[in-house]
Amino acid sequence: NYLDVVACSCGNNPNTGSSCFSSAPIATPVAEGRPCSQSSTLVYADRSFVSTFNSTLESGCSEMLVSAVSGLQFLGEAGNNVGGHFVDKKKSINYGIRNQKGATVGVLMGDGITVELSQKLQGSFYVCLALRELNGLSSNYPVLDFASSDGNFSALVPQDFKVEKIESPKGDLYCSTIQSSNTSLNYFPIRRLNNWQQVSRIELARVEYALSYVLVAIYAIVALGAILGFVGAIYYIFIVHVRKFLLTDAILIFIIAFAIIRMSYFAVSDATPGADFILAALPTFLFFTSFSMVISFWAVSSQKYLFSDPKKMIRYGAIIVIITNVLLYLLLFIIGLVFYFLNLSSSPCGRRSILSVQQQKMRLQQLSIAYAVIISALCLAFATAFGYLGFRLVKRMTKSSKTRRAILRIAAVFSVSFTLYSLFIMLQAFIFSSNPSAVFSFIGLI
C-alpha cells in the first residue's frame, strides 16, 4: 500500500499527487520482528517497544509487524464554538475519551501502536508506549491505562490494564504486561477515571446541566407568555374586532421563535456541529429582527416630514425592516456557509498531518472570533440607535410627558442591555472560548 502511495505521488501529473495519500493506511509500519518459543524478542517502534517472553509462543515462530498510529486521529471536537458555545455539557476536551454514556472519562497521553501477528500468542507479552503530552488536563484523570480502538480508529476504549509509569532520559513510558490471543492488536497510553464505565455525563457536569435546565424553564416561560399574548392579539383583532394588527404583534412572532429555539439549544445534549451552530446563532438573529422593528418605527417616527403621516411611517418603516433583515440573514447564511465548508475541508493525509489539523482548528477559531466581533458590532449599533432615536423621538413629542418618560426609559434600558450583551459576546469569544463557563453564560444570557 505504501509503495503504491509513493509511486502515485511521484507521478507526472501534479494535480493527482495530493489525492494519492488518501489511500495510505492510518497505521504506519515502523518495525518488524520474529518472536519464537523458548526465546525472548524485543521490537522497537521509535521509543515504544514490544517484548515477548520465552513462554509467549507455545511452539514455532510468528511474524510481527509493529506500526505507529498518530494520536491526532483522536483530537476530538473541543474548541468548536462558532455561533456561541454557551455551555459544554459534554465536558469536551481535546484527545478526550468517552464511555458509552457519552461522559468524558479519560485523555490520550501519546501516540499508539498496532501489532500484527501471523499466529496467536499463548502467553503474555510486555508493551511500553512512549508518552507525548497532548492535553494539559491529564492530571484530572488519576488512573494509568491502555486503550484500544476498532479497525477504523474512530474511538478509544479503556482496557483496565495494570499499567506502570517508567521514567527514561529519552522520555517517560507507560508499560504493561498483556495477555491476548488476538493476532491484530492496538494500544494507546491514556489516563482515566476510576469508575469510567459507570460515570454519567450529568455527574461530570452537574452545574452545566442545572443551569441549562433553569434557562430552559425561563425561555419556556418567555415562549408561553409570548404565545398567550399573540393568541390574545388574534382574538381582539379577528374575533372581537376591537383593534388592528400592531407592531408588537409582529414582534411576538419572532420572540416565540427566539425563545423556542434558544430553549432547544439548552435542552439538547447531543447535536451535530451544523445543528449546534443553527441552535446557537439563529436565535441571536431573531433577537435582532425583533428589535430592528422597534428601531425602524422609531427612525421614521423621529423624522419631521413623516411624523404626522401614519401611512408613510408604516410604508417607510416596513422598507427599512425588510432591507435590514435581508442583510442580517444574508450575513448569517454566509457565516453558516463558511462554517460548513471549514468542517468539510481536510488534508489528503487526514489527521496524520499535524499542520492540517492545526490549520483547520485555527480557521474555525478565526471564524468564531469574526462572528463574535460582528455580533458585538451589531449590538453596539443597536445600542447607539436606541439612544439616539429615543432622544430624537422625545424631542418631537409635545404633549404626553408620560409617553416621553416611557420612551426615554425604554431607550436607556435597551441601550444598556445591548452594550452589556456586546461585552458578553466578546468576553465569551476571547476568554471563555476553549473552556465555556456555565455560570458566566447564565448571567450573560439572563
Side-chain angles (χ1 to χ4, degrees):
N1 286 335
Y2 272 91
L3 287 175
D4 289 341
V5 169
V6 172
C8 173
S9 61
C10 293
N12 295 324
N13 188 350
N15 296 325
T16 62
S18 61
S19 63
C20 300
F21 293 92
S22 59
S23 61
I26 295 172
T28 308
V30 291
E32 61 180 351
R34 197 168 186 269
C36 298
S37 61
Q38 305 305 316
S39 66
S40 59
T41 303
L42 185 63
V43 179
Y44 277 96
D46 195 9
R47 291 192 297 113
S48 301
F49 64 85
V50 179
S51 176
T52 62
F53 306 118
N54 294 342
S55 58
T56 300
L57 283 167
E58 188 174 348
S59 63
C61 298
S62 172
E63 300 296 333
M64 177 188 290
L65 178 66
V66 180
S67 303
V69 181
S70 171
L72 290 171
Q73 190 69 25
F74 305 96
L75 176 64
E77 58 187 34
N80 182 6
N81 63 334
V82 181
H85 195 32
F86 299 116
V87 293
D88 184 13
K89 290 185 283 188
K90 296 180 183 179
K91 286 294 182 182
S92 302
I93 60 172
N94 288 332
Y95 306 101
I97 299 167
R98 292 181 185 169
N99 62 10
Q100 290 186 336
K101 298 180 181 180
T104 301
V105 296
V107 63
L108 185 64
M109 295 297 295
D111 299 327
I113 63 169
T114 67
V115 181
E116 302 290 337
L117 299 158
S118 61
Q119 70 178 69
K120 294 181 179 180
L121 303 180
Q122 304 300 321
S124 59
F125 55 97
Y126 194 64
V127 175
C128 282
L129 301 176
L131 303 184
R132 177 158 68 102
E133 186 65 31
L134 297 171
N135 191 309
L137 301 174
S138 57
S139 59
N140 296 339
Y141 304 94
V143 181
L144 313 185
D145 198 359
F146 283 178
S148 293
S149 182
D150 57 15
N152 296 322
F153 297 100
S154 56
L156 292 172
V157 179
Q159 297 298 298
D160 292 313
F161 290 163
K162 184 178 180 181
V163 175
E164 60 179 340
K165 182 178 181 180
I166 296 179
E167 296 181 354
S168 166
K170 293 184 179 180
D172 296 344
L173 303 168
Y174 279 5
C175 299
S176 178
T177 300
I178 300 171
Q179 180 86 36
S180 176
S181 60
N182 293 329
T183 58
S184 181
L185 310 164
N186 65 80
Y187 300 111
F188 297 81
I190 67 166
R191 292 178 72 107
R192 61 169 174 81
L193 300 176
N194 281 301
N195 55 338
W196 67 271
Q197 289 178 309
Q198 288 75 36
V199 173
S200 68
R201 193 181 291 176
I202 295 179
E203 291 179 67
L204 299 178
R206 295 184 186 277
V207 174
E208 285 79 2
Y209 272 89
L211 294 181
S212 291
Y213 290 148
V214 172
L215 286 171
V216 167
I218 292 173
Y219 285 117
I221 293 171
V222 171
L224 181 61
I227 290 170
L228 292 175
F230 188 72
V231 170
I234 296 298
Y235 174 78
Y236 286 114
I237 295 169
F238 296 104
I239 298 176
V240 183
H241 302 287
V242 296
R243 70 174 180 85
K244 295 181 178 180
F245 193 81
L246 302 176
L247 177 68
T248 51
D249 301 326
I251 292 175
L252 283 174
I253 298 173
F254 292 96
I255 291 176
I256 292 169
F258 161 80
I260 290 175
I261 297 173
R262 188 69 94 200
M263 180 178 65
S264 301
Y265 172 83
F266 289 103
V268 173
S269 297
D270 290 296
T272 62
D276 193 65
F277 170 80
I278 292 171
L279 290 175
L282 183 56
T284 302
F285 283 81
L286 292 171
F287 180 75
F288 287 149
T289 297
S290 302
F291 286 99
S292 68
M293 292 182 178
V294 180
I295 288 178
S296 300
F297 178 74
W298 283 18
V300 295
S301 299
S302 63
Q303 300 301 316
K304 185 176 181 180
Y305 67 95
L306 295 174
F307 194 76
S308 59
D309 191 339
K311 289 184 178 180
K312 281 188 177 180
M313 286 174 57
I314 294 172
R315 185 168 64 253
Y316 284 110
I319 292 172
I320 294 173
V321 168
I322 291 171
I323 293 174
T324 302
N325 284 278
V326 165
L327 294 175
L328 280 174
Y329 289 98
L330 181 62
L331 177 63
L332 175 62
F333 176 75
I334 292 171
I335 294 172
L337 208 60
V338 173
F339 175 74
Y340 173 76
F341 282 110
L342 281 180
N343 273 284
L344 283 183
S345 63
S346 62
S347 163
C349 297
R351 291 190 180 277
R352 288 161 290 179
S353 168
I354 297 176
L355 185 61
S356 68
V357 173
Q358 291 176 337
Q359 284 178 340
Q360 186 179 25
K361 284 177 65 65
M362 182 179 67
R363 287 167 185 157
L364 284 170
Q365 188 64 30
Q366 289 171 344
L367 179 61
S368 175
I369 292 173
Y371 173 85
V373 170
I374 291 169
I375 297 300
S376 296
L378 288 172
C379 287
L380 290 177
F382 273 83
T384 304
F386 271 114
Y388 173 74
L389 293 174
F391 178 74
R392 283 201 60 176
L393 192 59
V394 167
K395 285 182 65 177
R396 296 291 178 196
M397 294 182 174
T398 56
K399 295 182 180 180
S400 176
S401 59
K402 185 177 180 180
T403 303
R404 289 161 63 96
R405 286 196 301 270
I407 290 177
L408 283 174
R409 184 170 61 251
I410 291 171
V413 169
F414 286 173
S415 293
V416 172
S417 297
F418 271 106
T419 303
L420 290 175
Y421 193 72
S422 173
L423 180 63
F424 164 67
I425 292 296
M426 292 300 287
L427 288 174
Q428 187 191 48
F430 286 95
I431 297 179
F432 298 101
S433 60
S434 59
N435 188 23
S437 169
V439 175
F440 175 75
S441 294
F442 180 82
I443 295 171
L445 290 171
I446 291 295

